[in-house]
């Protein structure tokens, strides 16, 4: 590693530590010529295999740019886009492979984008999945609605189960007036 101060082609590692949940190694180095110290960072490069057969390093900014187009005119902030891109990268890295097909990157985007904004999801999915007819949009909207209804019904059944454990009141106020003892 070249010293950033004097450009000497060698340096000595003083300390190494993992960072960012073990995905990065930070090394503290010292230059034997000028004696100055500096820090370097090492990460495993995640490669994306494109349909053409070309591989290129994973680039979170490409995800943000692609999703930003789908979110144009929608109430989605830059911070939300950055979080989505981080979630996608974490999901892909979590698979443990050093190279992933670009198709899997697209699939990893769909879930978090659906949660973020359904309209942006439809826009992205229509391009990614190559919708060719109105029927493709209708099918996807139907799937979104049924998923939302399932989630809503699941939430209602959770609430009903919670209320089942509460004592029955028959619509009457169960509080006792001040100074009166509860019936025995």
């Amino acid at each position: 590693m070249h010293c950033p101060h004097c450009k000497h082609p060698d340096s000595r590692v003083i300390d190494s530590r993992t960072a960012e949940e073990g995905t990065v190694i930070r090394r503290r180095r010292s230059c034997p010529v000028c004696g100055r110290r500096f820090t370097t960072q090492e990460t495993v490069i995640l490669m994306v295999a494109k349909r053409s057969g070309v591989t290129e390093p994973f680039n979170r900014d490409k995800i943000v740019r692609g999703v930003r187009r789908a979110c144009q005119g929608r109430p989605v902030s830059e911070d939300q886009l950055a979080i989505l891109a981080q979630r996608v990268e974490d999901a892909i890295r979590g698979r443990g492979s050093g190279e992933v097909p670009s198709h899997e990157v697209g699939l990893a985007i769909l879930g978090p984008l659906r949660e973020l904004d359904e309209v942006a999801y439809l826009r992205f999915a229509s391009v990614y999945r190559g919708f060719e007819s109105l029927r493709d949009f209708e099918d996807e909207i139907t799937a979104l609605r049924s998923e939302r209804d399932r989630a809503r019904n699941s939430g209602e059944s959770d609430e009903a189960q919670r209320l089942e454990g509460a004592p029955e009141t028959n619509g009457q106020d169960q509080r006792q007036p001040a100074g009166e003892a509860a019936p025995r």
Side-chain angles (χ1 to χ4, degrees):
M1 178 65 63
H2 290 270
C3 173
H5 307 289
C6 72
K7 308 297 184 225
H8 183 69
D10 198 16
S11 63
R12 188 173 68 92
V13 175
I14 299 169
D15 184 34
S16 292
R17 296 178 189 210
T18 59
E20 298 179 30
E21 298 176 7
T23 61
V24 173
I25 297 175
R26 285 202 171 107
R27 298 194 193 280
R28 192 74 181 137
R29 297 176 175 270
S30 174
C31 177
V33 174
C34 70
R36 295 180 76 179
R37 293 182 177 194
F38 57 98
T39 302
T40 58
Q41 238 180 227
E42 296 177 18
T43 59
V44 174
I45 297 175
L46 178 62
M47 299 300 286
V48 177
K50 300 181 105 178
R51 282 183 233 156
S52 65
V54 174
T55 58
E56 62 181 39
F58 176 84
N59 184 344
R60 197 182 309 167
D61 292 335
K62 275 183 103 169
I63 290 175
V64 170
R65 281 193 307 270
V67 174
R68 184 182 292 127
R69 273 186 244 124
C71 293
Q72 197 166 2
R74 302 295 303 155
V76 176
S77 70
E78 287 297 316
D79 287 343
Q80 289 172 308
L81 291 176
I83 290 168
L84 180 140
Q86 181 63 52
R87 285 179 63 192
V88 169
E89 182 175 358
D90 290 347
I92 292 170
R93 285 190 185 277
R95 295 178 183 161
S97 177
E99 184 174 304
V100 294
S102 59
H103 177 74
E104 287 186 27
V105 175
L107 289 175
I109 291 170
L110 290 173
L113 184 55
R114 183 185 310 120
E115 294 169 16
L116 180 63
D117 188 281
E118 290 176 336
V119 173
Y121 165 78
L122 276 173
R123 290 174 178 171
F124 187 87
S126 71
V127 173
Y128 179 72
R129 291 186 177 157
F131 288 8
E132 293 182 3
S133 69
L134 188 56
R135 182 74 186 161
D136 294 335
F137 282 94
E138 290 170 342
D139 291 345
E140 195 63 38
I141 289 169
T142 301
L144 281 170
R145 283 186 177 142
S146 65
E147 184 178 309
R148 188 185 319 139
D149 290 345
R150 269 195 311 275
R152 187 179 298 130
N153 291 339
S154 168
E156 288 172 3
S157 67
D158 291 347
E159 179 68 12
Q161 289 175 356
R162 187 185 68 75
L163 291 175
E164 284 178 9
E168 204 163 304
T169 62
N170 295 329
Q172 298 174 1
D173 189 352
Q174 298 294 309
R175 293 176 287 166
Q176 296 298 317
E180 289 185 28
R184 292 184 190 201

